[in-house]
Amino acid sequence: MARTRQRWLPALLIPFALAIAVLLGSVQAGATVSLPPKTAEEILAMIARTEVRAFSGTVEQTAELGLPEVPTSGPGIAPGAVSALEFLTGSHTARVYVDGPLRARLQVLDQMAERDVVINGADAWFYNSRDNSATHLTAPAKPTVPEKYEPRMLPPDMPTPDMPTPDMPTPDMPTPDMPTPDMPTPDMPTPEAMASRFLAAVDASTEVTASESSTVAGRSAYSLVLNPRSTETLVDSVTIDVDSETGLPLGVEVRANGQAEPAYSLAYTQLDLSTPDAELFNFTPPPGATVTEKVLPVKPVPSMTMPAMPVPDPAVAEPEVRGPGATVTGKGWDSVISLPAGSAPAELTSNPQLFQALQPVGGGRALATSLLSVLILDDGRVYAGMVPLERLQSAAAAQ
């Protein structure tokens, strides 16, 4: 439970983490519709049982986080640069195509250009029409799994997740169709992907209720509302619209405390549940494009045995370790993630667009929005969370 509990923070950090593929969208909900009543538990079960694996659609995003519009050109900003911060302001539109777990295409539709992310098995292309540049990532052949291994078993006292993500292999268990290298997977920033990150963290810190049904992308939808029981978080509520026929999440809306309009929303405005044309996942750079080739390193084949797990002392609250050097303190909506000096991604520490949005504070600079706060200290440490800036400063002072 400790690990899933901390996923509230990454859910709102998606715009930073998916800088090359991020699109976020506004919830286009229509009038209330009449549907057979369902409880929150029944709606959760619908999401868990959804069998939608192939689809295409248009996704729109609106972010009202209190940030100024982010410039896409100017001193220090390279032509054609892609910044995740750009998607934290204003509205954006994209087309998304998905066919199973390893084929996806994302087309971010800028006003004067188009950015494409195409994933097809062990190949991924990232293309920007603004400067006609493309990056091709290739995964080397998957290493052979040893013939003899012990199946990975959960400890007998470890509870199994209540909300497994459909059709998504576990990250440490290779499958015949899953490349072992660190190849980007089609976990595109769709409403389904966003909703799954929130739902995976549902625990006692959250009240889950059913709300009035509505219409999204011309489809009737049930509404599921997540309300934090915390008084420390910036988040007021999260609403997930769920297709009444398939159980596919159609939209996600996040409201901030003290803000009338949604601070962040993502939804389909058009959705087709038929399988996209296979040619959409084949990409050829246009004539004259500058192409950069990269081969991803191979991950070591994971052990199939469960390592011994120390029994934590319930009387001692220790920070959770996440990734290289990262730690998480607090629980649920109040979580604060901290990165030691030198471990933060360049998108946070050296991006000229982000620098223009930062405000000077004691000992560093900070990004304070209606949903998310980020503190970048002069010594290189970074703190982030869906909490007020003062909470981050307190966490930094304690370390």
Side-chain angles (χ1 to χ4, degrees):
M1 179 64 71
R3 293 186 63 187
T4 58
R5 188 182 299 161
Q6 307 298 344
R7 294 178 188 171
W8 297 112
L9 177 62
L12 262 293
L13 285 175
I14 282 182
F16 288 112
L18 299 179
I20 53 177
V22 71
L23 70 100
L24 309 169
S26 64
V27 175
Q28 302 294 323
T32 301
V33 296
S34 178
L35 289 172
K38 287 187 181 294
T39 65
E41 291 75 13
E42 289 173 325
I43 299 173
L44 287 170
M46 288 178 60
I47 299 173
R49 291 195 303 263
T50 184
E51 296 181 353
V52 176
R53 300 292 179 267
F55 59 88
S56 61
T58 301
V59 184
E60 292 189 0
Q61 178 271 162
T62 295
E64 300 291 345
L65 303 181
L67 291 172
E69 289 293 328
V70 178
T72 57
S73 61
I77 301 176
V82 179
S83 170
L85 186 64
E86 178 184 342
F87 295 94
L88 290 177
T89 61
S91 298
H92 302 272
T93 302
R95 289 284 298 169
V96 61
Y97 307 87
V98 174
D99 182 9
L102 287 177
R103 297 209 296 182
R105 181 170 188 145
L106 179 75
Q107 296 175 316
V108 181
L109 308 176
D110 295 333
Q111 186 174 7
M112 300 297 292
E114 178 179 309
R115 287 174 263 187
D116 289 81
V117 180
V118 183
I119 299 175
N120 193 346
D123 286 283
W125 284 92
F126 305 94
Y127 175 72
N128 191 336
S129 68
R130 190 181 299 274
D131 59 357
N132 199 22
S133 63
T135 299
H136 181 209
L137 301 182
T138 305
K142 182 174 62 176
T144 303
V145 178
E147 292 184 5
K148 293 184 179 181
Y149 65 90
E150 298 180 28
R152 185 176 186 269
M153 301 295 292
L154 293 175
D157 59 344
M158 179 173 286
T160 56
D162 294 329
M163 292 294 298
T165 303
D167 206 28
M168 291 295 291
T170 56
D172 58 350
M173 182 68 73
T175 69
D177 297 322
M178 177 65 72
T180 299
D182 193 15
M183 170 60 67
T185 61
D187 184 14
M188 292 295 181
T190 61
E192 181 183 21
M194 179 67 75
S196 68
R197 294 173 186 269
F198 279 109
L199 293 175
V202 168
D203 64 5
S205 69
T206 308
E207 179 185 17
V208 184
T209 59
S211 185
E212 292 184 347
S213 54
S214 62
T215 302
V216 180
R219 302 180 66 88
S220 59
Y222 289 100
S223 293
L224 195 68
V225 182
L226 313 181
N227 288 108
R229 290 193 170 102
S230 165
T231 59
E232 299 292 328
T233 182
L234 296 170
V235 179
D236 176 69
S237 66
V238 176
T239 300
I240 302 172
D241 291 315
V242 181
D243 184 38
S244 62
E245 180 182 346
T246 66
L248 179 73
L250 301 176
V252 177
E253 177 184 272
V254 185
R255 290 185 174 271
N257 285 315
Q259 185 169 313
E261 295 300 318
Y264 167 81
S265 53
L266 168 67
Y268 291 106
T269 57
Q270 183 273 328
L271 181 65
D272 183 351
L273 297 181
S274 61
T275 303
D277 188 337
E279 286 300 315
L280 288 168
F281 308 107
N282 295 325
F283 181 81
T284 301
T290 301
V291 178
T292 301
E293 295 282 351
K294 293 185 178 181
V295 178
L296 296 177
V298 178
K299 288 182 178 179
V301 177
S303 170
M304 295 298 137
T305 59
M306 173 62 72
M309 299 182 66
V311 179
D313 183 351
V316 179
E318 297 183 354
E320 180 191 359
V321 178
R322 295 178 61 90
T327 59
V328 176
T329 56
K331 297 180 179 181
W333 301 88
D334 302 339
S335 301
V336 173
I337 185 170
S338 59
L339 300 173
S343 64
E347 182 70 23
L348 284 176
T349 58
S350 60
N351 188 296
Q353 293 170 297
L354 175 60
F355 185 82
Q356 295 183 40
L358 296 175
Q359 63 186 52
V361 296
R365 302 182 71 84
L367 177 71
T369 78
S370 60
L371 285 179
L372 177 72
S373 300
V374 179
L375 175 63
I376 304 176
L377 297 179
D378 293 335
D379 61 12
R381 290 180 294 157
V382 176
Y383 295 81
M386 295 187 295
V387 294
L389 177 60
E390 293 75 18
R391 175 71 183 276
L392 303 185
Q393 292 172 317
S394 297
Q399 295 186 358

